[in-house]
Amino acid sequence: MALDALKINFGDIAGGVRNISGHERGAEARRRYKLDVVDASGDIASIVIPDDIDAVAASFFQGMFSESVKKFGSKDEFLRHYNFIARPMMMEQILRGIDRSLTERRGSAFRQ
């Protein structure tokens, strides 16, 4: 892949809705855009969130990007690889999703 070869427009994912949610929907988008391959490529992916999208739920974000966030190990490294183009309000939601992806769950319900 060439630098900036991948551009994902959340308008295509949204299917006409203004709020994108659901872990499984995010996981399906991850498979659709082959993000495991993108992660390994070292290329930059541009993620466009159009102004008509009002919300990206943490569940969707985590389904789509949690594995990538964990792979890169930090917010800064993840954002070097995934360039989000979005309004400030949407960037706040994305940053919360990154933080949640980096947070280790410690409660007894999460122990195996």
Side-chain angles (χ1 to χ4, degrees), residues 27-100:
E28 176 57 35
R30 180 173 186 78
R31 289 186 292 274
R32 174 181 174 187
Y33 291 105
K34 299 175 175 57
L35 296 189
D36 290 328
V37 174
V38 174
D39 290 350
S41 74
D43 292 336
I44 297 171
S46 295
I47 312 299
V48 178
I49 304 176
D51 291 348
D52 63 347
I53 303 290
D54 291 331
V56 175
S59 61
F60 177 86
F61 179 89
Q62 288 178 304
M64 188 168 183
F65 293 110
S66 185
E67 290 179 40
S68 300
V69 172
K70 290 174 185 173
K71 178 191 180 299
F72 291 109
S74 74
K75 185 184 299 185
D76 290 340
E77 286 301 315
F78 172 75
L79 291 173
R80 278 185 191 75
H81 195 74
Y82 287 93
N83 177 37
F84 287 85
I85 302 163
R87 306 187 316 272
M89 177 188 83
M90 292 307 304
M91 281 308 301
E92 289 176 18
Q93 292 177 30
I94 296 306
L95 294 173
R96 277 195 301 272
I98 295 169
D99 288 340
R100 287 184 181 175

